[in-house]
Amino acid sequence: SAGIYITNTGTNANNVFQLNDIHDAVSGTTGNPRYGIFAEDNSGTVLQIKDNNIYNISSKEVALGVSGSIGNGQTITGNSIFNTGAGTTTNAFTGIEVIGMLTSGHTITGNYIGGTSALGGTAGTPWNNAVITTFIGINVTSNLTTQSAISGNIIRNLNLSNTTAAIFTGISFIGNVLCENNAIGDATNNAFGLTINSSAAAGSGTNNAIKVSSGGSAVNTIIRNNTIRYITHNATTTVGGVCRLQGIVI
């Protein structure tokens, strides 16, 4: 289920979704949508997703593309992604995802991910979640043709308290990408920070603020002026286990 569903039929060029509240049901049929905004693979789909409140979604808040043939130049800007504590999430959660290995030139800027209300919520009131075992704030795959921009996004005010394993990645990408002026945690206030519980047995649990994903290329990539601060990592290991918290990984 999805709040907004864009099919792979025809051309969906330059459609704008702006100033919407997309969330769980509040009367009648109850439950949480799997997706907030979902677009199937279609090279003719070019969307502008701007200034929306998208919250209480169980799996992926914004998901454009499945196997890489979404159109060039997707724009996702000024959205607030959060959870008020209503309903449930799945084990794997992603805030914003653009799967475009055949495309490029995407813009993901000025989005907030975290908290219990818009714009990253209130200090000291994090999005508490004991279910999520894999959390990805922003995930972008693109080709090497035209640079995509991931800039000015804020991922903060989260408490991932799954005691079995909580694996966190703030921003993940492949391709020709400018990644700048993002904040993972908070620049000035620990009350807006992140708390991650991580555990590992005979393997490893690795948490990353910014990561160039494995299995892809990073060419002409620029990573600059990002803030990674006020992240609390509670690690539990047994024999042979390793838990890591890493800032920037290429």
Side-chain angles (χ1 to χ4, degrees):
S1 60
I4 296 174
Y5 188 98
I6 299 98
T7 70
N8 60 4
T9 303
T11 299
N12 296 301
N14 300 316
N15 291 329
V16 179
F17 300 95
Q18 187 172 20
L19 297 174
N20 299 288
D21 285 330
I22 302 169
H23 56 88
D24 54 323
V26 295
S27 63
T29 301
T30 60
N32 301 69
R34 182 177 181 185
Y35 302 103
I37 299 175
F38 175 77
E40 295 180 332
D41 284 337
N42 183 349
S43 60
T45 294
V46 181
L47 305 176
Q48 296 182 46
I49 299 171
K50 305 166 62 177
D51 307 318
N52 302 285
N53 291 327
I54 310 172
Y55 56 99
N56 299 346
I57 305 301
S58 68
S59 181
K60 297 182 179 182
E61 306 270 355
V62 178
L64 307 185
V66 178
S67 59
S69 61
I70 198 73
N72 290 304
Q74 308 298 325
T75 298
I76 305 171
T77 182
N79 302 283
S80 289
I81 291 171
F82 55 96
N83 192 289
T84 66
T88 60
T89 54
T90 60
N91 288 343
F93 179 88
T94 303
I96 295 170
E97 182 172 76
V98 180
I99 304 299
M101 285 300 293
L102 304 179
T103 61
S104 59
H106 310 300
T107 301
I108 297 93
T109 62
N111 301 284
Y112 284 83
I113 300 174
T116 59
S117 58
L119 304 178
T122 303
T125 309
W127 170 1
N128 292 300
N129 194 291
V131 175
I132 291 173
T133 55
T134 302
F135 184 104
I136 301 174
I138 297 171
N139 181 38
V140 176
T141 65
S142 64
N143 63 28
L144 307 178
T145 305
T146 302
Q147 192 168 69
S148 295
I150 305 173
S151 64
N153 302 285
I154 297 175
I155 302 171
R156 69 180 190 185
N157 218 4
L158 292 169
N159 179 21
L160 303 180
S161 57
N162 189 308
T163 56
T164 302
I167 305 303
F168 171 86
T169 301
I171 297 172
S172 175
F173 61 86
I174 296 172
N176 180 357
V177 173
L178 168 64
C179 179
E180 67 174 355
N181 299 323
N182 301 286
I184 295 93
D186 193 80
T188 60
N189 190 347
N190 188 41
F192 273 123
L194 306 176
T195 300
I196 306 163
N197 289 319
S198 185
S199 65
S204 63
T206 302
N207 303 280
N208 304 290
I210 297 173
K211 179 183 179 183
V212 178
S213 295
S214 59
S217 298
V219 177
N220 298 322
T221 288
I222 300 173
I223 302 173
R224 66 187 180 195
N225 296 332
N226 299 285
T227 298
I228 302 167
R229 193 179 185 193
Y230 290 126
I231 300 176
T232 300
H233 181 212
N234 300 314
T236 303
T237 63
T238 57
V239 175
V242 178
C243 288
R244 299 182 178 93
L245 175 60
Q246 302 176 150
I248 299 173
V249 180
I250 297 179

